[in-house]
Amino acid sequence: MKRLFLLLIMLLSLLFAPAVLAESGCEQEGHRALCSAPGICEACGFTGDIAQLLHSWGTPETTDPTCAAEGALLYSCQECEETKTTLLPKLPHTEVTDEAVEPTCTETGLSQGSHCSICNEVILPQEVIPAWGHNEVTDEAVEPTCTETGLSQGSHCSICSEVILPQELIPAWGHNEVTDEAVEPTCTETGLSQGIHCSICSEVILPQEVIPARGHNEVTDEAVEPTCTETGLSQGIHCSICNEVILPQEVIPAWGHNEVTDEAVEPTCTETGLSQGSHCSICNEVILPQ
């Protein structure tokens, strides 16, 4: 395109170039005036109404246009020192996009813009977009336990996750040991060994082990023979450790006396007698004294 434009300028210059008058014999062939001395024949010095020659423009010196400045065609006359300049219009910008920059919580952003990639002229300025600022969210405190650490309350930004108030580590409490007293086993019930647990979290530190029941230690309760007046007891069994009755002794009724008559003895002249009496034939207890 640029070359076609320059070629057109040269063709126009040739079309309007004046015809060259004869080199000699002014009166026979006509006067000739140079563009540098209009109205004066350069051959004979005649002064008068002489058709002035147009400038004979040569090939121009070209200054290429850019998007920042116009170009120019500088012509110099081949017959004199006259020059002329034809301006060439600026070239259009080569527009490139300046990408938008998203703002953050702490840094400003930029709107989309554009500039020329050749001359760097700003075509659409980028506007500053204010920083958003943090959106603060609370990080809840975590209570420590006997075995695990806790955290103090903190905060962070829900957009960029930046920590605003750090959560501090709270040490674990550690167990508060309490003794679980041993339970002595009995004859019928199991016992427990001594153990330990935490009074805060109830975690078992030393488990209590089950101790088996001892079982009864059986002892025979001897039977008691009844008498005529006293009851007796059957044989029984009890535990010598806990005294629990395993086999109860049953009451055996008293036999009651087996009364036998003691015959009266008639007194004599010299010996005393006895009245009739009675006694038990089993235990010999006197029931009716003589």
Side-chain angles (χ1 to χ4, degrees), residues 183-192 210-216:
V183 176
E184 192 74 16
T186 67
C187 299
T188 56
E189 294 184 358
T190 58
L192 292 171
V210 176
I211 302 172
R214 293 193 287 249
H216 291 304

Side-chain angles (χ1 to χ4, degrees), residues 12-199:
L12 290 173
S13 299
L14 293 174
L15 287 174
F16 289 97
V20 180
L21 297 177
E23 295 181 359
S24 61
C26 296
E27 293 182 358
Q28 293 82 8
E29 299 179 6
H31 295 290
R32 183 179 70 177
L34 298 177
C35 57
S36 59
I40 302 173
C41 179
E42 61 91 20
C44 66
F46 172 80
T47 301
D49 187 11
I50 302 172
Q52 184 179 350
L53 290 175
L54 293 175
H55 291 292
S56 178
W57 305 113
T59 302
E61 295 180 13
T62 303
T63 301
D64 293 332
T66 66
C67 53
E70 295 176 328
L73 297 175
L74 178 60
Y75 294 91
S76 298
C77 180
Q78 295 177 344
E79 300 295 332
C80 65
E81 296 180 355
E82 187 74 19
T83 61
K84 73 172 182 176
T85 301
T86 300
L87 295 177
L88 302 176
K90 291 181 181 179
L91 298 176
H93 287 302
T94 301
E95 189 172 352
V96 292
T97 299
D98 299 314
E99 297 297 333
V101 177
E102 188 80 6
T104 67
C105 299
T106 56
E107 296 185 0
T108 57
L110 292 171
S111 63
Q112 182 174 291
S114 62
H115 71 279
C116 177
S117 63
I118 297 173
C119 68
N120 291 320
E121 181 177 328
V122 175
I123 299 167
L124 177 62
Q126 289 183 288
E127 296 182 359
V128 176
I129 303 172
W132 294 320
H134 290 304
N135 184 29
E136 191 169 351
V137 176
T138 298
D139 300 313
E140 297 297 334
V142 177
E143 189 78 10
T145 66
C146 299
T147 56
E148 295 185 359
T149 57
L151 292 171
S152 64
Q153 182 174 292
S155 63
H156 72 278
C157 176
S158 64
I159 300 171
C160 68
S161 297
E162 181 177 328
V163 174
I164 299 167
L165 177 63
Q167 289 184 287
E168 295 182 0
L169 197 67
I170 303 173
W173 295 321
H175 290 306
N176 184 30
E177 292 189 6
V178 176
T179 298
D180 300 313
E181 297 298 333
V183 176
E184 192 74 16
T186 67
C187 299
T188 56
E189 294 184 358
T190 58
L192 292 171
S193 64
Q194 182 175 290
I196 301 173
H197 74 277
C198 175
S199 65

